[in-house]
Amino acid sequence: MCYNSYMKTLYQYIADAQKNKTAIGHFNVSNIEGLWGIFHAAQSLNVPVIIGVAEGERDFLGVRQAVALVKSLREEFDYPIFINADHTHSFDRVKEVVDAGFDAVIFDGADLSFEENLKITKQCVDYAKKINPDILVEGELGFIGTSSKVLDDIPEGVELDEKSLTNPEKAEEFVKKTGVDLLAPAVGNFHGMLRGGVDPKLNIERIKKISEATKVPLVLHGGSGNSEDDFKQAIANGVSIVHINTEIRVAYKKGLMLGLSENPDEVAPYKFLKPAVKAVQEVVDKKLRFFNNL
Ligand SMILES: [Zn+2]
């Protein structure tokens, strides 16, 4: 059993967020410095938080090690911190994280045909629930780009016009047939953020329609670069989890460069990495206050 028996499940925290019109922050890490930065921020505000590791991030950190680190915080501090296998592109890699004890997993079939995406997502749901009935499985419908970085332009293949966004009827069919707990739609969002500016506006009307049609909590990916007003409206209309990655990557790198340049003779990593932890913490603190109406 991974939870203390009296701690709510991740699903219950999401249900609370839905009811309160708040959102749970989901932040990606590649290492333990990032994890501490996020945990310190969440803990000081006393709000639940989700740690994300996509395939590249968890290959670097270690799949089982990532789970062990997050669960060690949950147990030691009796704290609602959860781990999600972000963007997972095959059934085999979904199986790997389910077996390793993740709290949630995303099968990302957004670049497959609707039928193929539906088929593999269903296979993932069936396997995951058999191994761990509490695990949450998220599906993706609609293409939102792939890389969390600073962009000069909207990523290739991402279309922001009405007919390229996730269709509410298709979303309803997808959720019904796959049995996913959560859905990540394309609603004007994309991974990464535009250099020097704010990302284009989200389509709030579409979020509302998808939420009403699917009746599952929606997950907003690519939250870096979106405005506070957009988040507020998205959360009020069905988004219960918001993913932030690029902004904390940028903060981490800036903090690291500062740590190195301020003390060029320092060789102790725990000293020159401190500004990186602090930089991540500051960004996460700001986002969490906003997502939780604090
Ligand atoms: Zn994402």
Side-chain angles (χ1 to χ4, degrees), residues 112 140 190 228 231 233 273:
L112 303 174
E140 288 219 14
F190 52 84
E228 294 199 340
F231 282 135
Q233 291 191 54
L273 285 168

PDB file of all heavy atoms in Angstrom, residues 112 140 190 228 231 233 273:
ATOM      1  N   LEU A 112      -1.305   9.417 -33.420  1.00  0.00           N
ATOM      2  CA  LEU A 112      -1.839   8.235 -34.110  1.00  0.00           C
ATOM      3  C   LEU A 112      -3.217   8.570 -34.686  1.00  0.00           C
ATOM      4  O   LEU A 112      -3.809   9.591 -34.339  1.00  0.00           O
ATOM      5  CB  LEU A 112      -1.992   7.078 -33.121  1.00  0.00           C
ATOM      6  CG  LEU A 112      -0.737   6.628 -32.363  1.00  0.00           C
ATOM      7  CD1 LEU A 112      -1.102   5.566 -31.328  1.00  0.00           C
ATOM      8  CD2 LEU A 112       0.304   6.084 -33.336  1.00  0.00           C
ATOM      9  N   GLU A 140      -4.813  11.162 -24.530  1.00  0.00           N
ATOM     10  CA  GLU A 140      -4.589  12.424 -25.245  1.00  0.00           C
ATOM     11  C   GLU A 140      -5.317  12.388 -26.575  1.00  0.00           C
ATOM     12  O   GLU A 140      -5.234  11.418 -27.316  1.00  0.00           O
ATOM     13  CB  GLU A 140      -3.100  12.607 -25.553  1.00  0.00           C
ATOM     14  CG  GLU A 140      -2.295  12.919 -24.345  1.00  0.00           C
ATOM     15  CD  GLU A 140      -1.204  13.965 -24.635  1.00  0.00           C
ATOM     16  OE1 GLU A 140      -1.244  14.632 -25.695  1.00  0.00           O
ATOM     17  OE2 GLU A 140      -0.335  14.097 -23.790  1.00  0.00           O
ATOM     18  N   PHE A 190      -0.114  24.365 -26.434  1.00  0.00           N
ATOM     19  CA  PHE A 190       0.937  23.529 -27.034  1.00  0.00           C
ATOM     20  C   PHE A 190       2.130  23.483 -26.092  1.00  0.00           C
ATOM     21  O   PHE A 190       2.302  24.355 -25.238  1.00  0.00           O
ATOM     22  CB  PHE A 190       1.357  24.031 -28.428  1.00  0.00           C
ATOM     23  CG  PHE A 190       1.727  25.482 -28.463  1.00  0.00           C
ATOM     24  CD1 PHE A 190       2.999  25.912 -28.126  1.00  0.00           C
ATOM     25  CD2 PHE A 190       0.780  26.426 -28.848  1.00  0.00           C
ATOM     26  CE1 PHE A 190       3.325  27.255 -28.163  1.00  0.00           C
ATOM     27  CE2 PHE A 190       1.099  27.771 -28.893  1.00  0.00           C
ATOM     28  CZ  PHE A 190       2.379  28.195 -28.543  1.00  0.00           C
ATOM     29  N   GLU A 228      -2.434  34.343 -16.937  1.00  0.00           N
ATOM     30  CA  GLU A 228      -3.186  34.003 -15.718  1.00  0.00           C
ATOM     31  C   GLU A 228      -4.684  34.045 -15.978  1.00  0.00           C
ATOM     32  O   GLU A 228      -5.446  33.236 -15.456  1.00  0.00           O
ATOM     33  CB  GLU A 228      -2.796  34.951 -14.585  1.00  0.00           C
ATOM     34  CG  GLU A 228      -1.347  34.743 -14.173  1.00  0.00           C
ATOM     35  CD  GLU A 228      -1.004  35.276 -12.803  1.00  0.00           C
ATOM     36  OE1 GLU A 228      -1.760  36.130 -12.295  1.00  0.00           O
ATOM     37  OE2 GLU A 228       0.018  34.835 -12.247  1.00  0.00           O
ATOM     38  N   PHE A 231      -5.663  30.778 -17.595  1.00  0.00           N
ATOM     39  CA  PHE A 231      -5.703  29.686 -16.609  1.00  0.00           C
ATOM     40  C   PHE A 231      -6.985  29.764 -15.791  1.00  0.00           C
ATOM     41  O   PHE A 231      -7.652  28.768 -15.553  1.00  0.00           O
ATOM     42  CB  PHE A 231      -4.517  29.784 -15.637  1.00  0.00           C
ATOM     43  CG  PHE A 231      -3.217  29.281 -16.203  1.00  0.00           C
ATOM     44  CD1 PHE A 231      -2.050  30.009 -16.030  1.00  0.00           C
ATOM     45  CD2 PHE A 231      -3.147  28.085 -16.887  1.00  0.00           C
ATOM     46  CE1 PHE A 231      -0.840  29.545 -16.529  1.00  0.00           C
ATOM     47  CE2 PHE A 231      -1.945  27.607 -17.390  1.00  0.00           C
ATOM     48  CZ  PHE A 231      -0.789  28.347 -17.209  1.00  0.00           C
ATOM     49  N   GLN A 233      -9.877  31.023 -16.416  1.00  0.00           N
ATOM     50  CA  GLN A 233     -11.073  30.605 -17.158  1.00  0.00           C
ATOM     51  C   GLN A 233     -11.053  29.115 -17.487  1.00  0.00           C
ATOM     52  O   GLN A 233     -12.084  28.448 -17.455  1.00  0.00           O
ATOM     53  CB  GLN A 233     -11.189  31.417 -18.438  1.00  0.00           C
ATOM     54  CG  GLN A 233     -11.508  32.870 -18.176  1.00  0.00           C
ATOM     55  CD  GLN A 233     -11.877  33.548 -19.467  1.00  0.00           C
ATOM     56  OE1 GLN A 233     -12.762  33.095 -20.177  1.00  0.00           O
ATOM     57  NE2 GLN A 233     -11.191  34.628 -19.789  1.00  0.00           N
ATOM     58  N   LEU A 273      24.588  24.119  -6.773  1.00  0.00           N
ATOM     59  CA  LEU A 273      23.240  23.777  -7.277  1.00  0.00           C
ATOM     60  C   LEU A 273      22.120  24.449  -6.476  1.00  0.00           C
ATOM     61  O   LEU A 273      20.966  24.423  -6.891  1.00  0.00           O
ATOM     62  CB  LEU A 273      23.043  22.263  -7.266  1.00  0.00           C
ATOM     63  CG  LEU A 273      23.784  21.506  -8.371  1.00  0.00           C
ATOM     64  CD1 LEU A 273      23.761  20.005  -8.107  1.00  0.00           C
ATOM     65  CD2 LEU A 273      23.159  21.790  -9.745  1.00  0.00           C
TER      66      LEU A 273
END
